[in-house]
Amino acid sequence: MVAGQILNRGIRDPKILSVFSKVPRDRFVPEEHRMRSYTDHPLPIGEGQTISQPYIVALMMELLHPEPDSRVLEIGTGSGYQTALLAEIASKVYSIERIPVLAERASRLLKDMGYANVEIRVGDGSLGWPEAAPFDRILVAAAAPSVPKSLAGQLAEGGRLVVPIGSALEQTLTLVERVQGNLRLQEGCSCLFVPLIGAEGS
Ligand code: SAM
């Protein structure tokens, strides 16, 4: 998966390649789809949600550029796979999932796997996690109609926020940086995520 789908398609950051080699994606895929864990596809994880395609996850990680001392906010825990990848690099990961059964499953799995620097809660991630803000990095794994104001407000100076922006049918992976108090937006490739459902989502 790492050689064929990630390295081959231009992801070169050794830190990212190394965590993809380390975290077993099959642990996060439901039993009935486990044989397809290392194919280049999103896969169902129940509740009408998906674990994202490995290449897109890698691309988001590259844009986000987490550092060892980063405090990261992730919106849309889903299976917990990307949470684990982030937790391998960053000092602390706060993750919000709106569907309780997914949040509970991911929480249990990540605890079993020994991740002590992850906190997961159930809620509307479009509003962020104000008590723990500001964050050095914010990753949104669901599509928003525009950059959620609450999340932008919780981004630290010099911080990076990665979010798919657009309609249900077409989105652009967008990098938002806070530079000297201002937000700078940079559009990337097109992508297709499930909608961010909430007060500042769809
Ligand atoms: N990165 C995840 C993984 O590795 O499995 C996949 C995330 S999945 C594409 C998107 C997730 O965002 C879904 O689990 C969905 O329930 C969640 N979601 C959608 N809107 C949300 C919101 N407002 N707050 C928190 N989670 C939300």
Side-chain angles (χ1 to χ4, degrees):
M1 180 183 89
V2 174
Q5 299 162 34
I6 298 176
L7 183 62
N8 235 6
R9 291 173 74 180
I11 308 288
R12 295 279 185 263
D13 184 336
K15 206 162 45 180
I16 291 175
L17 298 172
S18 143
V19 295
F20 269 87
S21 299
K22 185 168 175 193
V23 178
R25 189 173 187 247
D26 58 276
R27 293 283 306 265
F28 299 85
V29 172
E31 184 119 33
E32 62 271 29
H33 302 293
R34 209 156 275 165
M35 274 170 56
R36 297 165 63 211
S37 294
Y38 296 97
T39 57
D40 193 20
H41 297 291
L43 294 169
I45 55 171
E47 310 300 315
Q49 305 303 320
T50 53
I51 177 173
S52 307
Q53 176 191 9
Y55 170 67
I56 286 291
V57 176
L59 196 58
M60 291 182 98
M61 295 285 287
E62 191 170 66
L63 281 175
L64 192 72
H65 201 70
E67 302 277 6
D69 61 350
S70 298
R71 295 173 73 255
V72 180
L73 174 66
E74 178 191 40
I75 312 303
T77 318
S79 68
Y81 177 57
Q82 192 152 17
T83 320
L85 295 166
L86 290 166
E88 286 286 344
I89 298 175
S91 62
K92 174 92 188 186
V93 182
Y94 298 84
S95 187
I96 309 177
E97 171 56 56
R98 62 176 281 274
I99 301 178
V101 62
L102 294 181
E104 280 153 27
R105 197 190 299 151
S107 226
R108 217 176 313 123
L109 177 56
L110 291 166
K111 201 168 161 208
D112 286 352
M113 292 176 80
Y115 290 101
N117 57 340
V118 171
E119 222 174 300
I120 295 178
R121 81 173 185 195
V122 176
D124 176 5
S126 73
L127 298 172
W129 195 316
E131 316 87 89
F135 300 97
D136 306 301
R137 303 288 186 265
I138 300 179
L139 184 139
V140 186
S146 57
V147 179
K149 282 198 171 53
S150 295
L151 296 184
Q154 292 171 32
L155 188 63
E157 177 60 34
R160 295 164 78 88
L161 185 167
V162 174
V163 54
I165 301 280
S167 68
L169 297 178
E170 197 181 14
Q171 305 135 24
T172 304
L173 200 54
T174 305
L175 169 66
V176 181
E177 292 173 277
R178 182 173 291 284
V179 183
Q180 293 173 350
N182 299 313
L183 295 180
R184 194 164 67 191
L185 267 71
Q186 200 180 308
E187 293 190 342
C189 67
S190 57
C191 55
L192 195 56
F193 279 80
V194 295
L196 180 74
I197 297 171
E200 295 187 32
S202 306

